[in-house]
Structure formats: C-alpha cells, structure tokens
C-alpha cells in the first residue's frame, strides 16, 4: 500500500474522532483537505514520523524512476548512492519513532547484506510488531476474521477494511509479512513463503497480490492438488456475498476512500501468477500438451507474457512490496520476475516455451508495439 494512502486515512480518522461535531459537509472538506495538506493534520510525533516517511519514500521512488535512461554503469553507481542515502534517512526516522514500521522495514530492505541476514532481521521485526499489535492495538486479534474482533468493529461502527487502513502499524506489519513471503520465495523457502502470503491474504482493505506467491510456490513444489485447490478457493471467494470474498473486499476498500488504490481483484483466469504457475507446474509434471495450452493461454491473456518470459527484463526491487501497476503489463512483468528462480531451476523451460507455436511471434509483436 502506498504510504500516502494509509497516512491520510490515519490522519483523517484521528481528526474526525476529535471533532465529532462536524457536519457531513465539513467531513467531506476534511477528507479532501487531508489529502491536499497532510502536514496540517500531522500534529503528533508519530504522525510527523509517518509524514516524514511518506515524503522520503516518494522522493526515493521518484529518483529511482529518473534513472531509466542511464547507462548500466552509471545506473549502478547512482542507485547504490541513492539507496545508501535513503537508508540513512529511513534509519533516522525509525530511530525517532520505533512504531514507524515501514521506515524500519526499508532500512532492512536497503541494506547490502545476504538474503539470509535480511530474512533474520525481518523475522525479528515481524515478531516485535506482532507483539505490539496484539497487546497495544484495541481489537487486533490474530485469530479473528481479518485480524479484527467483531465486538470492537461493532463498537466503532467500522468494517475490518476500514479498521486496517486506519492503523499504520497494521499496514506496516502486513508489509513485513509480504516482504518475508517474497524473500522466502526468492530463496527457495517455499512452505514459509506460502504461510506468510496466506497471512497477508487474510487481511482486508489492504491491496495485494499475495496469491501470486502461493501459486508460484505450489508450482515449484509440484503440488498439483494444492495448486488447483487454491485456485478453486479463490474462485469461491470471488463469488461469496458475506463480505469476505474478493469482490466484497474491493467494495469495502472503495467505501473507505474513492482515491484509495485498492482496485478490483483479478479473476483467477486472468492472473499472470496463476497462468504462469500452471504452465510451470504442468511442464514440471511432464504434461507437455496441457502445458502448451496453458502457455498459449498465458501469452494471450497476459499483456507481455511471452515477451517477459523469453526476454528477462530488469524490474525495480520492491520497496517495500509489489507496487500498484501503472502499465498494462506490470503485473505480468512482476509474475515472471518473481518466478525467475523457479524458471532457472526448470531445465529447458524457456527454450521449450520459445518453440511452442505462436509464442515467439507474440513476444516479437509485443516488443514492436511497445518499443522494447
């Protein structure tokens, strides 16, 4: 989740709780004003730390985006310098406010250390934040649906989605879980990756594609039954009407704020993680004909699917988690990038894919249309 989204939701909720006498029209004005001038509403030390983090994060991402046209050597030099400076900034924010979870998370992700060391630091942070949430945040409960007790939600007149987005420490904890899932997948710790991703999925009001991690991990484990059972689970959720399905999640997020980037969830058959994971799974199981059909489905349904599979393309690191898509092919690129280690461990997969009728032409067509 973008920091500005949960910062503004937090600031607005605090202000309105302190000014219960405001009319509906005045509340609408506050809603708009918070998003235009959040600094006006950041009156506490914690709010100011969250605001400082938001600005530092936005500056980091803007600077990183400006490096696109640099040579490889200059890109590496400038990026290393940028990451070092950003890590110092996030470290200072975290030192001033230990509950600015995302600032602490970013200092870990930007450290130039082996992946096992990063995982160790993430595990310590997750444990500490979880302990704070269970003891210090009213209504938070790891065993409750979507992590919020029904009695607490009822007393506040809020949905679980609204409650989540108004608690920066909860969003930060979910970011830590997502980072753990991603690093576990990248380091071949597939069962833990699934567990952390499922914990992320249990939340509502928090935009994510943690299902992608589950699909890729199950494909790598060649767990055919588990893979398709999970797909059916997602399909069932999308059709529920009790507020727990993915459609209901999107609706709940929209009710929080029209400018909150929750977005509509993907149908399973349109998910690049599902389609790519299914292709890898069938190929690894030696089911070549179904794998070919699945590959063609991936290339047809996912913009850039064939291209990114045949032409590994650099993707900015997740800082701290998967960013919201800005181009039609962004989710496809993310799925292929995350599957890189699995693809590398699957002998001849890319060569086989290139030889499947229509895949090379699809790749070339995408490259020509988009200037790659």
């Amino acid at each position: 989740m973008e920091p500005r989204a949960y910062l503004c939701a937090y600031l607005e909720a605090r202000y309105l709780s302190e000014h219960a006498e405001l009319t509906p029209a005045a509340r609408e004005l506050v809603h708009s004003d918070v998003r235009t001038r959040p600094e006006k509403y950041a009156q506490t030390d914690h709010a100011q730390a969250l605001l400082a983090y938001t600005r530092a994060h936005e500056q980091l991402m803007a600077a990183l985006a400006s490096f696109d046209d640099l040579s490889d050597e200059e890109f590496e030099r400038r990026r290393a310098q940028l990451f070092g400076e950003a890590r110092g900034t996030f470290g200072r924010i975290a030192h001033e406010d230990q509950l600015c979870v995302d600032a602490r998370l970013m200092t870990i992700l930007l450290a130039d250390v082996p992946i096992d060391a990063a995982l160790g630091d993430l595990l310590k942070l997750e444990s500490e934040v979880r302990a704070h949430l269970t003891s210090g945040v009213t209504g938070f409960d790891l065993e409750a649906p979507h992590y919020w007790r029904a009695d607490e939600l009822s007393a506040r007149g809020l949905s679980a989605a609204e409650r989540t987005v108004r608690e920066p420490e909860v969003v930060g904890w979910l970011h830590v879980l997502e980072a753990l899932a991603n690093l576990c997948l990248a380091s071949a710790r597939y069962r833990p990756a699934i567990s952390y991703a499922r914990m992320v999925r249990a939340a509502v009001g928090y935009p994510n594609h943690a299902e992608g991690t589950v699909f890729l991990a199950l494909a790598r484990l060649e767990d055919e039954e588990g893979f398709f059972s999970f797909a059916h689970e997602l399909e069932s959720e999308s059709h529920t009407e009790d507020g727990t399905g993915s459609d209901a999640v999107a609706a709940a997020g929209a009710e929080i704020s029209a400018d909150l980037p929750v977005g509509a969830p993907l149908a399973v058959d349109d998910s690049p993680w599902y389609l790519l994971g299914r292709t890898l799974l069938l190929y690894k199981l030696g089911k070549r004909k179904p794998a070919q059909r699945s590959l063609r489905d991936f290339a047809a349904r996912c913009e850039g699917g064939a291209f990114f599979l045949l032409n590994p393309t650099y993707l900015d690191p997740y800082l701290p988690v998967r960013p919201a898509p800005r181009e039609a092919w962004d989710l496809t690129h993310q799925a292929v990038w995350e599957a890189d280690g699995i693809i590398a461990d699957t002998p001849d997969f890319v060569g086989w894919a290139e030889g499947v009728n229509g895949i090379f032409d699809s790749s070339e067509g995408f490259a020509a249309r988009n200037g790659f």
Side-chain angles (χ1 to χ4, degrees), residues 117-336:
L119 278 169
D121 290 338
L122 287 176
L123 287 169
K124 292 177 184 176
L125 177 59
E126 189 280 326
S127 178
E128 182 180 332
V129 176
R130 177 165 32 91
H132 164 74
L133 295 177
T134 54
S135 63
V137 176
T138 304
F140 183 86
D141 187 340
L142 288 169
E143 303 302 322
H146 314 308
Y147 301 121
W148 296 106
R149 292 200 312 270
D151 60 337
E152 200 274 344
L153 294 175
S154 178
R156 292 174 181 256
L158 297 174
S159 68
E162 291 170 319
R163 192 75 174 90
T164 294
V165 78
R166 296 179 182 192
E167 292 290 345
E169 291 79 42
V170 174
V171 175
W173 175 66
L174 293 168
H175 282 167
V176 175
L177 291 175
E178 214 176 330
L180 278 166
N182 289 334
L183 286 188
C184 283
L185 183 70
S187 59
R189 295 169 168 91
Y190 300 114
R191 292 297 180 191
I194 293 170
S195 296
Y196 289 124
R198 281 188 169 277
M199 290 179 71
V200 172
R201 291 195 69 254
V204 291
Y206 171 77
N208 69 87
H209 283 293
E211 77 280 357
T213 301
V214 179
F215 277 129
L216 292 180
L218 290 170
R220 176 61 182 85
L221 292 169
E222 301 182 28
D223 184 352
E224 185 175 13
E225 181 180 356
F227 185 94
F228 290 108
S229 291
F230 182 62
H232 292 317
E233 177 185 326
L234 297 189
E235 289 173 342
S236 297
E237 287 180 3
S238 70
H239 291 95
T240 58
E241 298 179 354
D242 62 355
T244 61
S246 55
D247 291 339
V249 170
E255 290 172 2
I256 298 169
S257 163
D259 51 8
L260 192 63
V262 174
L266 293 173
V268 174
D269 286 343
D270 291 326
S271 166
W273 289 278
Y274 167 71
L275 296 168
L276 177 59
R278 183 179 65 178
T279 304
L280 281 162
L281 173 66
L282 294 171
Y283 179 87
K284 291 170 72 65
L285 293 174
K287 300 180 178 182
R288 293 295 190 266
K289 289 295 184 181
Q292 287 182 14
R293 291 192 290 270
S294 183
L295 176 62
R296 293 193 189 99
D297 204 15
F298 171 64
R301 287 177 173 271
C302 301
E303 182 76 7
F307 174 81
F308 290 115
L309 183 58
L310 303 187
N311 302 273
T313 306
Y314 177 77
L315 183 67
D316 287 332
Y318 296 160
L319 297 172
V321 293
R322 293 182 184 96
R326 304 187 187 282
E327 302 287 352
W329 58 79
D330 279 351
L331 294 183
T332 306
H333 191 185
Q334 290 173 11
V336 177

Side-chain angles (χ1 to χ4, degrees), residues 3-4 6 48 57 62 87 95 154 162 189 217 236 238 294 370:
R4 187 166 291 270
Y6 67 77
Q48 289 171 8
H57 184 270
R87 186 169 188 265
H95 179 73
S154 178
E162 291 170 319
R189 295 169 168 91
S236 297
S238 70
S294 183
N370 295 285

Side-chain angles (χ1 to χ4, degrees), residues 2-15 30-38 41 51 54 165-166 168 257 259-260:
E2 293 294 332
R4 187 166 291 270
Y6 67 77
L7 168 69
C8 291
Y10 168 75
L11 294 177
E12 180 181 349
R14 284 185 60 86
Y15 186 85
V30 169
H31 175 79
S32 177
D33 197 38
V34 168
R35 281 142 186 80
T36 304
R37 299 185 296 169
Y41 297 86
L51 178 62
T54 296
V165 78
R166 296 179 182 192
S257 163
D259 51 8
L260 192 63

